[in-house]
Every structure is written in structure tokens, then in C-alpha cells.
Amino acid sequence: MDAAPAFSVVVTNYNYRDFVAEAVDGALAQTRAPLEVIVVDDGSTDGSPDYLRERYGHDARVKLLYGENGGQLAAFQRGLAAATGDVVCFLDADDRWGPDYLRQVGELFAARKDIDFVFSNVRLVGNESGMQGYAKEAMDLGYTVLGTWVRARWYGAPTSALALRRKLAERVLDLPPEFTANWRISADNCLVFGASVLGARKYYLPTGNVDYRIHGRNGWWHEQARMREFAPQFRSRCLINHYAARMHLDVHTLDLAKAEFKSRERCDWEEAQIYAGIALHGRVSWWKRFERALAILLRGLRGR
């Protein structure tokens, strides 16, 4: 196994003075120390800037960035611009990591040079408890271009459970100003959707080391019902279409549904049905489309 990559941790803070020290201290206390912890304060008005200067201003491991309030995507972009590590991990200021998070993620990135994007399960803390994740076990998801482009599938996790190779993160966050304004919140959609459509190979690694705090001022968890309404779905579709246009995806890409589905380590029935439907809309002959859809379904049945 090659040496684990160097990590840049980007902590984004907006009026979370009561929590931000837990996030930063947890990142600094990792058994696999990060190369740097970059704290981006997004124009907080609760005293966070002075608090951060007092607590971390003389800590060489921490870079403090301040600016006017621009929203979560703008904070991601500012933090990434200052990052120098091989892998970038994003951490919301109201969340925290257990001490082995970076070690676990780093071992995977070191062992699998083909993996570009790793996401973890999360442990709910604060007003709720429990574990939430994509699956019960670790899983190589392979490529998720078509599942995202066609069906807007969300192959990821909340911000604090995402890690991307820096070169991928730079491509994903290369967005025009109108997108920065549209994604003042829920900008983890840019990371998740963008990585998929830009062709990243994804891996789900349930570390058990990401604490996602549920409290009165955060919105991701309890916004899921609202995200199924028209406006958020339209916003996500426009974002996905932007990435798809950059990759020059067209209807002929649908003919790759079987190949993309086979890139998954394990095949579940729900995904098989989705990919079979995509295969049926390809541009090859009808019998070839049917043959591919059937092969996908049979593969999915074997994985049940």
C-alpha cells in the first residue's frame, strides 16, 4: 500500500461560534494528522471571527480566512483555493469527526488510486440519535454518471462525510457566479452531483466517525421533504445539466448504461431497475436495448 495522501480540511463556518471549536479541534486531533485545517468564516455576526483569531491565530496548522457572507458554495470555493493537500475533506462547523476518520479515509485512498470520491455514514447527535448511511457495508459504487444525469440520483452524504481528491474538487467547484448565488445552502449537492457527472469513481466507507449535529439552526436533515418540491428539484436539475454540458453528454451516452452498472462492486435490485430503464432509452437497435436491460436486471437479481 502506498503512503496515505496529505489531507486539507476545509471547515466552513457561519454563525456557529458555539460549535466551531469542536469541529476544528476534532480535525486537529486526528490520528492521521491533516496537512492543514482551513477555516472559512463566511461573514459571521456572532463573534466567530474574533473567537477564531484568539483560539487559532497562532496555530501554524490552521489557516483562517474571513470575508463577506457569500453562502456555502462560496465558502467551499474560498477554502479550496487555499488547499494544498492531495485530498480535500469538507467539514461543517456544527459537525465533528471522531479521531480515526482521516486514517480510515486515507487508507482507502492510498490502497485505491482509482477512487476519486469517498463518503461515509453519519451518526446523528444533538436533538436526534442514530446512524444514517448509504448501505450497511463498504461498497465500491463504480461510476454514477448516468444514474445522476438521467435520474438525479444522489450518491453521497452530507458535507462533513465527503472527501474528494483535490484535482476533482477543483473541477467540481469550478462554477460560474450565478451558481454560487443559487447554492448559498445545500452546496453539498454541487460536490455530490458534480463528482458523479464529471466521471468520478465513488466509494462508500462507513467509518462511524462523522457526527452530524441536529439542532434548531441547521437545515439539511429536516429539509429532505422540501427538497422533493419543484423549486429545489429544478435547481438541482439545472446544476446537473451544467455539468453534463461540460462533459458533452448526449443521448448516445445512454448506451453505456450496462457498462456503468457493471462498474459497481455489488448490484442491488433498485439500482438494476433504474439502469435497465436507462438502457431502454439508448440509441442502438431495440433488440440490443432490450438485451442490455435484461442483462442488467438479471445481474441485479443475483445481487438480491
Side-chain angles (χ1 to χ4, degrees):
M1 182 184 296
D2 293 334
F7 284 99
S8 294
V9 178
V10 175
V11 180
T12 52
N13 177 67
Y14 177 64
N15 287 343
Y16 280 153
R17 184 187 185 280
D18 294 341
F19 304 125
V20 65
E22 276 193 85
V24 176
D25 290 349
L28 293 172
Q30 292 292 299
T31 55
R32 167 103 191 152
L35 173 67
E36 59 200 358
V37 177
I38 303 162
V39 184
V40 183
D41 186 82
D42 189 34
S44 294
T45 57
D46 66 346
S48 287
D50 290 339
Y51 176 71
L52 290 167
R53 289 189 189 95
E54 179 181 354
R55 190 176 181 96
Y56 303 108
H58 300 288
D59 193 327
R61 300 169 298 173
V62 181
K63 298 180 181 178
L64 299 177
L65 304 180
Y66 306 98
E68 296 181 359
N69 178 248
Q72 190 178 31
L73 177 55
F76 284 173
Q77 291 170 325
R78 288 162 54 204
L80 179 62
T84 60
D86 306 304
V87 173
V88 179
C89 296
F90 294 89
L91 177 59
D92 282 341
D94 55 338
D95 296 336
R96 65 193 181 204
W97 291 336
D100 279 339
Y101 177 67
L102 291 185
R103 179 190 63 79
Q104 292 171 283
V105 174
E107 288 177 354
L108 176 61
F109 274 117
R112 294 286 304 273
K113 296 299 185 182
D114 59 329
I115 297 296
D116 309 294
F117 180 106
V118 176
F119 63 105
S120 175
N121 59 346
V122 298
R123 177 171 51 216
L124 307 183
V125 298
N127 293 342
E128 296 184 23
S129 61
M131 297 290 292
Q132 298 287 341
Y134 181 84
K136 294 181 180 179
E137 299 176 342
M139 181 186 302
D140 181 353
L141 274 68
Y143 300 99
T144 53
V145 178
L146 295 177
T148 299
W149 180 41
V150 178
R151 295 292 299 273
R153 297 282 285 179
W154 204 76
Y155 300 99
T159 299
S160 301
L162 302 178
L164 296 77
R165 294 197 188 272
R166 180 164 57 88
K167 296 300 183 183
L168 171 65
E170 289 170 350
R171 294 175 62 211
V172 167
L173 293 181
D174 181 15
L175 292 167
E178 58 266 29
F179 283 92
T180 306
N182 287 341
W183 292 97
R184 293 181 60 84
I185 61 173
S186 301
D188 44 6
N189 283 279
C190 302
L191 301 174
V192 172
F193 288 145
S196 285
V197 180
L198 295 182
R201 189 177 187 108
K202 293 191 171 185
Y203 197 101
Y204 170 65
L205 180 69
T207 66
N209 266 291
V210 179
D211 287 349
Y212 181 83
R213 193 186 304 271
I214 305 296
H215 58 94
R217 289 178 291 166
N218 65 338
W220 188 92
W221 197 258
H222 293 289
E223 287 289 295
Q224 295 310 289
R226 189 186 68 82
M227 292 300 290
R228 291 189 288 271
E229 297 175 358
F230 171 77
Q233 289 192 61
F234 177 69
R235 188 169 57 137
S236 292
R237 172 47 62 186
C238 291
L239 177 69
I240 292 168
N241 286 353
H242 173 80
Y243 289 120
R246 281 172 53 181
M247 296 302 290
H248 305 285
L249 301 186
D250 62 17
V251 292
H252 298 284
T253 315
L254 303 178
D255 292 328
L256 301 176
K258 180 182 175 183
E260 180 168 298
F261 184 69
K262 288 176 66 177
S263 73
R264 300 174 67 89
E265 181 180 50
R266 291 195 299 274
C267 306
D268 63 78
W269 180 238
E270 181 183 1
E271 288 289 307
Q273 294 177 82
I274 290 170
Y275 275 84
I278 295 172
L280 288 174
H281 288 85
R283 284 298 179 267
V284 294
S285 61
W286 69 266
W287 59 267
K288 191 65 175 178
R289 282 180 274 143
F290 180 81
E291 179 184 66
R292 290 174 178 174
L294 181 60
I296 291 170
L297 291 174
L298 290 175
R299 188 178 178 89
L301 281 172
R302 289 194 293 270
R304 294 185 74 172

